[in-house]
């Protein structure tokens, strides 16, 4: 049976393009409309392609466990993806070519490496917030963007990129802001000069690791036989996947906590009880379920990556529908996290849904904020660890208040779900010092 098309809301010529590709609109309302019309399977179109939208745990299992040749990451992003990330970037590869890059990378994300990075995150948060003064208004997205970029640089590239940092940050910003991405995707030669500059900056790090290999990602990719361009493509992917997501995760979680003061009070009480005046150690972070559930709930309501797709390489059937070869399939964490038969009162901020006995996340593939299956997010442990460290630090060292009267709305930028007009907060230092674990 052919897929039912989402009716209405299509634009002349563009059809559903802005919603599918997240061009500054809130794609959530659009796809929820499809769900209301047809349930968990329906079709949308842009000017070029047809997309099967597949919602809910069963569809997630199908998509996330199905390796190429049935579904392909490479075919999902095509020539545009290749122009932005470079043809050998991991998210564009399948099969052996993927494994050749993903396997060496994964060892850098081992638990011990992440746990050992806690103090560095605290130090970076301390440096970032050193200038915050009482009564100052901060734009959370910008602050979290700067902090998570430094954390990603530190973890992926080594904190000592010190002197190269401003130049790297500047080039990266130009290439990866929405307009830069659009220009690269369109293949405009203007962006090539930033790529060249980036290669100049990174050539130094790569030749350093060739001469003095370490336990880090660049060294591991070089060991696996990748050339310089290939190594840089993977590093850029990791920077993008690892910092644009975490900045949104932190921003949304803080915003939600400030909107729910009773829950925030419970979270602060847990901080006092578990951490007291002590450091934020990897061990103590395991004893903060109230914090962990708040982050999870923020990922449920506003999963940072929320429009994801694959290319269909072979026709298949799902729920009685035929999905033809050459189509694309989409899975949509934000929409699926709002299905009322999977999550009780899905609109409500209710982190206790993850506590026993409810444990609504225990149904396999119900929560897909990090994807799942054989290509689950490579940085998910780092992301959760970073969120817990940063939030513990910020909520002990400062009190925040949302600036009244601001417009808190959602918009997609590509696959990402972020605040359309930012999130402004008033800040007040508490005067509490957060010691480092090593010094304790
Ligand atoms: C809250 C933070 C994060 C979220 C919500 C997130 C989300 C995701 C999702 C949904 C996917 C799967 C995409 C798909 O199925 O199409 C993914 C993949 C990926 N993530 Fe994350 N991510 C986060 C943090 C990170 C971090 C910190 C890193 C690395 C430093 C990272 C690196 C990657 C990479 C490289 C992939 C692609 C894996 C592959 O090609 O096999 N992510 N992430």
């Amino acid at each position: 049976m052919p897929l039912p098309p989402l009716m209405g809301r299509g634009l002349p010529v563009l059809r559903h393009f802005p919603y599918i590709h997240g061009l500054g609109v809130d794609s959530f309302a659009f796809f929820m409309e499809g769900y209301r019309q047809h349930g968990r399977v329906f079709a949308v179109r842009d000017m070029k392609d047809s997309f099967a939208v597949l919602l809910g745990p069963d569809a997630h299992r199908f998509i996330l466990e199905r390796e190429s040749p049935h579904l392909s990451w490479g075919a999902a992003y095509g020539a545009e993806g290749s122009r932005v990330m470079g043809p050998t970037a991991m998210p564009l590869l399948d099969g052996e070519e993927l494994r050749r890059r993903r396997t060496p990378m994964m060892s850098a994300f081992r638990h011990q490496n992440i746990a050992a990075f806690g103090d560095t995150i605290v130090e970076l948060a301390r440096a970032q917030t050193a200038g915050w003064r009482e009564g100052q208004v901060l734009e959370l997205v910008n602050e979290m963007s700067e902090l998570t970029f430094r954390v990603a640089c530190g973890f992926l590239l080594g904190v000592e990129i010190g002197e190269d940092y401003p130049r790297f940050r500047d080039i990266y910003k130009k290439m990866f802001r929405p307009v830069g991405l659009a220009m690269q995707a369109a293949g405009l030669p203007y962006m090539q000069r930033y790529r060249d500059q980036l290669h100049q900056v990174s050539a130094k790090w790569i030749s350093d690791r060739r001469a003095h290999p370490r336990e880090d990602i660049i060294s591991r990719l070089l060991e696996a036989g990748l050339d310089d361009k290939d190594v840089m493509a993977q590093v850029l992917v990791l920077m993008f996947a690892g910092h644009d997501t975490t900045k949104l995760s932190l921003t949304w979680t803080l915003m939600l906590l400030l909107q729910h003061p009773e829950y925030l009070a419970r979270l602060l009480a847990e901080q006092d009880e578990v951490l007291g005046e002590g450091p934020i150690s990897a061990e103590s972070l395991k004893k903060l379920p109230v914090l962990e559930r708040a982050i999870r709930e923020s990922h449920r309501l506003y999963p940072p990556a929320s429009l994801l797709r694959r290319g269909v390489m072979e026709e298949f059937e799902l729920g009685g529908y035929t999905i033809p070869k050459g189509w694309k399939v989409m899975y949509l964490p934000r929409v699926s996290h709002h299905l009322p038969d999977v999550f009780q009162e899905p609109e409500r901020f209710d982190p206790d849904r993850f506590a026993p006995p409810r444990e609504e996340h225990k149904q396999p593939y119900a929560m897909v904020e990090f994807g799942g299956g054989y290509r689950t997010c490579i940085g998910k442990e780092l992301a959760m660890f970073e969120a817990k460290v940063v939030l513990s630090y910020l909520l002990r060292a400062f009190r925040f208040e949302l600036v009244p009267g601001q417009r808190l709305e959602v918009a997609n930028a590509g696959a990402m779900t972020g605040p359309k007009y930012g999130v402004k907060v008033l800040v007040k230092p508490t005067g509490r010092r957060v010691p480092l674990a090593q010094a304790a």
Side-chain angles (χ1 to χ4, degrees), residues 49-54 59-78 91 93-94 102 307-313 316 323-331 365 368 370-377:
D49 292 308
S50 296
F51 294 78
V53 177
L54 309 179
H60 296 153
R61 181 195 294 279
F62 183 89
I63 296 173
L64 296 169
E65 289 187 355
R66 191 145 294 221
E67 201 168 342
S68 63
H70 308 278
L71 294 178
S72 148
W73 285 54
Y77 299 100
L93 303 177
D94 296 285
R102 188 170 159 120
L307 299 173
L308 302 155
R309 49 183 145 132
R310 302 285 186 272
V312 180
M313 309 305 281
F316 66 88
I323 321 280
K325 178 175 171 179
W327 276 43
K328 291 180 173 150
V329 295
M330 293 189 83
Y331 81 94
Y365 294 106
V368 282
F370 291 113
Y374 75 105
R375 278 182 92 163
T376 196
C377 172

